[in-house]
Amino acid sequence: MSDRHLLDIDRLGDEDIERMLQRACALAAGGEPARVDSTMANLFYEPSTRTRVSFELAAARLGMRVVNIELERSSATKGETLEDTAATLAAMDVDSIVLRHPESRRVERLAEHVPGLKLVNAGDGTHAHPSQALLDAATLRARGVALSGLKLAIIGDIRHSRVAGSGVSLWQRLGVAEIRLAGPHALLPDRPPAPAASLHDNLADAVRGADVVMMLRVQHERMDRAGWPDRDAYFADWGLKESDLAGAAPDCLVMHPGPINRGMEIDAAVADGERSLILDQVKMGVFTRMAIFEWLFEG
Ligand code: CP
């Protein structure tokens, strides 16, 4: 049997997605975790709080052994390649690597070189962040929100967002009726990336009648032009304020994968307000990553 990996949503079957979403919700509702007798290593070539810690906590709750590689103290600083680092960890009986990397598709390229290791993509460049997409869907499902027929607005830096990349694939698969992608022209893709997706050049159009509004972080670290976009100008046009939600569905929910830039893509009052699911997403991140490990090691 070939190694099982979590590389992106497109590589998963419908039954895999359903299994992980159901399991995440069951675990969040108090379900008994499986015991997973394995060792995983967190290997993050980019900063992270939510993803790294939640994979560590998820593994601990399943009884897994966890190794956190501190990159700046690792032999990567002496020129060791990612392939050699992965092979070295495998030689010490590490079974899986949770990898974040600034290069798009770096995780799937590594998968071709390290047979026997199970890889989890924890975010690769501007390409994919599948565990974030799964936890976002699980967050809505756990609240009883019907995804089929949902009107979802995703706002901000769509072009550079791996969250949007994996998210749009998953929302489309789960039957979301409208996926409205909105942002400044330079931060939008050239064309809608899925049949249910549409592109919008102003926030009000995207939010009108929306059941869920997901704000995205401005990816300063992936911008080409220094100092752009201007924080105040961006907030004026694209930052989500309470007044913007007047045109949304009455019980509209607000999501953000984090980390948030308060006063840039979202007003603090909205981030901390009653509609906000931001910390629910973080909590569901641990249960979803438990479900991912159970799926990765099943059988
Ligand atoms: N959402 C997300 O990936 O957050 P971190 O960068 O903190 O892991």
Side-chain angles (χ1 to χ4, degrees), residues 84-127:
D84 285 336
T85 299
T88 300
L89 293 170
M92 290 187 277
D93 291 337
V94 166
D95 304 296
S96 66
I97 294 179
V98 175
L99 177 63
R100 174 169 287 188
H101 201 279
E103 252 180 80
S104 295
R105 301 188 181 276
R106 190 65 179 96
V107 187
E108 60 195 49
R109 282 206 286 124
L110 179 63
E112 292 162 16
H113 287 91
V114 284
L117 260 180
K118 296 175 186 295
L119 298 179
V120 176
N121 183 354
D124 60 337
T126 59
H127 172 233

Side-chain angles (χ1 to χ4, degrees), residues 214-217 254-260 265-266 278 281:
M214 177 180 287
M215 303 307 294
L216 297 177
R217 183 174 73 85
V254 174
M255 303 179 82
H256 190 311
I260 62 175
E265 70 260 359
I266 191 165
I278 294 172
Q281 290 171 264

Side-chain angles (χ1 to χ4, degrees), residues 10-291:
D10 295 344
R11 303 285 198 104
L12 296 172
D14 290 344
E15 66 287 357
D16 298 320
I17 291 171
E18 194 51 38
R19 152 97 204 262
M20 285 188 266
L21 293 182
Q22 276 186 19
R23 198 57 194 137
C25 292
L27 289 163
E32 186 69 20
R35 292 287 299 175
V36 178
D37 181 19
S38 295
T39 303
M40 81 87 157
N42 262 330
L43 185 55
F44 279 58
Y45 287 75
E46 280 187 344
S48 166
T49 298
R50 278 146 285 272
T51 312
R52 189 184 60 77
V53 175
S54 60
F55 269 115
E56 179 176 355
L57 291 174
R61 289 187 194 179
L62 298 171
M64 296 171 67
R65 294 167 292 281
V66 177
V67 181
N68 283 310
I69 313 287
E70 290 180 60
L71 206 66
E72 61 283 0
R73 293 162 143 254
S74 79
S75 289
T77 61
K78 303 177 200 166
E80 186 172 68
T81 65
L82 175 55
E83 281 72 15
D84 285 336
T85 299
T88 300
L89 293 170
M92 290 187 277
D93 291 337
V94 166
D95 304 296
S96 66
I97 294 179
V98 175
L99 177 63
R100 174 169 287 188
H101 201 279
E103 252 180 80
S104 295
R105 301 188 181 276
R106 190 65 179 96
V107 187
E108 60 195 49
R109 282 206 286 124
L110 179 63
E112 292 162 16
H113 287 91
V114 284
L117 260 180
K118 296 175 186 295
L119 298 179
V120 176
N121 183 354
D124 60 337
T126 59
H127 172 233
H129 195 348
S131 66
Q132 180 71 47
L134 289 165
L135 79 86
D136 289 341
T139 302
L140 292 180
R141 191 182 272 196
R143 286 181 68 93
V145 176
L147 297 180
S148 167
L150 195 83
K151 290 182 186 145
L152 168 68
I154 305 178
I155 295 170
D157 183 2
I158 310 287
R159 182 183 283 272
H160 300 94
S161 174
R162 55 196 177 205
V163 175
S166 290
V168 169
S169 295
L170 185 60
W171 300 122
Q172 175 78 45
R173 298 266 294 268
L174 295 174
V176 168
E178 291 184 37
I179 307 167
R180 304 169 182 172
L181 305 175
H185 182 72
L187 302 185
L188 282 178
D190 296 333
R191 60 190 67 83
S198 55
L199 302 182
H200 301 263
D201 62 5
N202 73 82
L203 188 140
D205 277 355
V207 167
R208 193 169 298 117
D211 303 298
V212 175
V213 177
M214 177 180 287
M215 303 307 294
L216 297 177
R217 183 174 73 85
V218 175
Q219 310 255 311
H220 303 281
E221 69 275 25
R222 298 190 213 286
M223 297 292 175
D224 298 325
R225 285 183 279 163
W228 188 92
D230 173 78
R231 191 178 181 96
D232 293 338
Y234 187 90
F235 184 62
D237 290 344
W238 294 103
L240 188 68
K241 304 154 214 66
E242 197 59 50
S243 55
D244 295 317
L245 292 166
D251 50 359
C252 175
L253 297 166
V254 174
M255 303 179 82
H256 190 311
I260 62 175
N261 291 301
R262 289 169 184 263
M264 187 163 190
E265 70 260 359
I266 191 165
D267 188 35
V270 178
D272 301 331
E274 287 184 351
R275 300 172 184 275
S276 172
L277 299 184
I278 294 172
L279 292 180
D280 300 66
Q281 290 171 264
V282 175
K283 278 187 191 162
M284 190 52 90
V286 179
F287 298 116
T288 304
R289 284 155 180 148
M290 291 168 75

